[in-house]
Amino acid sequence: MSAFTTVLSRDWLLSETPASRAQAAWVRRYRGWLQFRANGLAMVGLATVAVMIVASLAAPLLAWQNPSAQDLAGRLAWPSAAHWFGTDELGRDIFSRILYGGRITLGMVVAVVALVAPIGLAVGSVAGYLGGIVDRVLMRVTDVFLAFPRLVLALAFVAALKPGITSAIIAIALTAWPPYARLARAETMTVRNTDFIAAVRLAGASAPRIILRHIVPLCLSSVIVRVTLDMSGIILTAAALGFLGMGAQPPMPEWGTMIAASRAYILEQWWVPTIPGVAIFAVSLAFNLLGDGMRDVLDPRQR
Amino acid sequence: MTGHRLRQALASLASVPVTLFGLVLVTFLIGRAMPIDPVIAIAGDHAPPDVIARVRLEMGLDQPLPVQFWIYLRNLLHGDLGHSVMTSRAVTEDIARFFPATLELATTAMIVAVLLGVPLGVVAAWRQGSRFDHVVRVFSLAGQSVPVFVLGLVCLLVFYAKLGIAPGTGQLDVAYEGLVPHITGMLVLDAALDGDWDEFWDAAAHLVQPAAVLAYFSMAYITRMTRAFMIEALSGEYIVTARAKGLSASRILWRHAFGNITVRLVTVLALAYAGLLEGAVITETVFSWPGIGLYLTGSLLNADMNAVLGATLVIGLVYLVLNLLSDLAYSLLDPRVR
């Protein structure tokens, strides 16, 4: 039997007596997956997120119309074969704009998470491991950033920088990291005094090595759950910034910005602002369902 | 009360000045980083150079940054947040004028959210895994996923435009504009105090939509937390004992299990109320509700710095107080906190 089919066999994945550390890890992952798969809602979330990612990446192939090509004669059109979701106030194809808008939303989310997770992990694990004055100072700073409602602080930051996508990403990141720091700190505190950390320390490992190699990996699973559940919050904040004119700027096809631009038509051509709204809702709900299912698997304490 | 708990409460109180200082510092730094020249914002685009120089001197902008911060802090302690360019009034005066509307909106939303969210969460936990539980779960996840501004716009479309059963945006019909005396600043309350029931019903009708939209937003959170707490409480051994004693289901549920989660629930409600402030910013924009959120976004679009910073600071302050109350309630009331 080749190594490939060995890995794929259910017996190997469900083995009660794994032969290697790698196999044990795969058994654990496979069991988690089975548990996750049994949750129908979580699978719907996973599928929707997958479709969104593929659709955004393949936007140039799927959108057969130029998302910025205007056609003032055919503006505010009802959905048709030529324009699946109709056209907006400048006669642009809404379907294409939704697809390209998905790229912007996805890009912003990835950028925010890429900034936030490492910062939060670093602050939290250092504060939790070192304790004392370092812990006190870092947690005070965290408290200050937690003392603002997220959207309000983000709005003020964007105003200080300059409305636009980059500012929006930085502003959201600046407001999103504190919960990660708290989470990582709490996780670190629970393992800090365990025997295996003491053993590593006795073996002569330095503090940075202990934090990076032994503590951070243990914080990861709760951080991943938190990230997934946070996705919808990030998407909603980004869209709200766009809606308030402080995020992505027109003519960019960002969903919140699209709603702001076509808001005046809600009473007559209601589908024009509603379709991007449905897109935001669907993606954000999908991430919430996915995160909910992942929490059940990865973090049984919080069920 | 044990000394330990008192100490813990004092500790959370002691952290307030530090957080408050940080709050002010962050707001100040944001203000200094803004791309708008505050001198030109006050003196105007076409002011002669000597006027600009004088204003700069008066505002203390020639001083080093720490000195400027000291001036800002001193003014703040005297209740001076500067003047708004947009309304040409003192920012504090503006905030006093706009804040009651937000309070009215957020409080109404909170009451609705608690009255619906808590029972839903309790029943969902009691019947964990049932169809009802699943419906509640999806319903509350949807509430956490829907953008408030989209929900607001759709409500206006359906209830105002299509069905015609709800009034449009604003706090009051144009016909009643200016007729309600300014007592508390909360129109529904003021109209009732004034004894004018036509105005009262109009104001109340205008409140329904934005309050409902906002309530859904926080109800989702309250329901989820109530459910989680209840599930934990119901798995306790004292519940088994209560059942063995043959107590009725409703008594076990409300008296024994629910009684045990009330303190934790209070902390959640304080946080939910704080979260409403954030939702209010967007809801007010959609419904043209003249509260602090509308003031904030309006000032942002007009690059009205003092107003933006003042509103941010005040919202941050309210948020801080609510968080503190949540902490205090937890450490003072819950006998399990040691």
Side-chain angles (χ1 to χ4, degrees), chain B residues 131-142:
Chain B
R131 182 163 300 222
F132 180 83
D133 183 29
H134 284 302
V135 171
V136 168
R137 185 169 180 165
V138 173
F139 182 66
S140 59
L141 272 179

Side-chain angles (χ1 to χ4, degrees), chain A residues 225 229 290-300 302, chain B residues 224:
Chain A
V225 172
L229 285 171
L290 177 63
D292 220 39
M294 280 175 60
R295 178 172 50 191
D296 285 353
V297 174
L298 289 176
D299 197 0
Q302 288 184 24
Chain B
R224 279 171 69 84

Side-chain angles (χ1 to χ4, degrees), chain B residues 195-269:
Chain B
D196 191 323
W197 298 107
D198 284 349
E199 287 164 12
F200 172 80
W201 287 115
D202 188 61
H206 275 81
L207 183 59
V208 170
Q209 275 194 95
V213 167
L214 205 49
Y216 186 35
F217 173 72
S218 55
M219 190 188 85
Y221 173 64
I222 293 173
T223 308
R224 279 171 69 84
M225 296 311 279
T226 310
R227 179 181 176 274
F229 290 161
M230 279 301 279
I231 286 178
E232 204 191 313
L234 285 171
S235 67
E237 283 177 1
Y238 60 96
I239 297 293
V240 179
T241 313
R243 273 186 221 253
K245 272 162 53 181
L247 296 180
S248 72
S250 71
R251 193 176 165 84
I252 294 176
L253 196 59
W254 291 104
R255 184 75 188 253
H256 292 252
F258 189 72
N260 255 300
I261 70 162
T262 42
V263 171
R264 275 196 293 170
L265 209 53
V266 166
T267 70
V268 165
L269 296 189

Side-chain angles (χ1 to χ4, degrees), chain A residues 39 41 140 143-144 146-153 155-157 159-161 232 236 239-240 243-244 246 259 263 266-267 270 274 277 280-281 284-285 288-289 292 295-296, chain B residues 15 18-19 22-23 26-27 30 33-35 137-138 141-142 144-147 149-150 153-154 157 160-162 224 278 281-282 285-286 296-297 300-301 312 315-316 319-320:
Chain A
N39 184 342
L41 288 175
R140 276 288 150 273
D143 280 351
V144 170
L146 274 176
F148 287 99
R150 197 157 164 181
L151 180 68
V152 173
L153 185 59
L155 278 174
F157 272 128
L161 299 165
S232 93
L236 291 181
F243 176 72
L244 294 173
M246 291 287 138
I259 298 174
R263 189 184 156 178
I266 180 82
L267 300 184
W270 55 265
T274 307
I280 301 171
F281 173 59
S284 137
L285 180 62
N288 267 332
L289 290 172
D292 220 39
R295 178 172 50 191
D296 285 353
Chain B
S15 73
V18 184
T19 314
L23 200 78
V26 169
T27 336
I30 290 175
M34 282 208 181
R137 185 169 180 165
V138 173
L141 272 179
Q144 286 188 318
S145 313
V146 68
F149 52 97
V150 174
L153 287 173
V154 170
L157 168 69
Y160 167 65
K162 297 285 179 206
R224 279 171 69 84
E278 185 167 280
V281 173
I282 308 173
T285 315
V286 173
L296 175 67
T297 49
L300 270 171
L301 293 177
T312 307
I315 294 178
Y319 202 71
L320 181 71

Side-chain angles (χ1 to χ4, degrees), chain B residues 152-191:
Chain B
L153 287 173
V154 170
C155 276
L156 278 176
L157 168 69
V158 174
F159 298 109
Y160 167 65
K162 297 285 179 206
L163 300 177
I165 52 173
T169 55
Q171 236 183 336
L172 210 56
D173 201 85
V174 195
Y176 298 109
E177 206 78 67
L179 292 180
V180 181
H182 188 94
I183 304 170
T184 59
M186 290 178 259
L187 273 186
V188 176
L189 205 60
D190 285 353

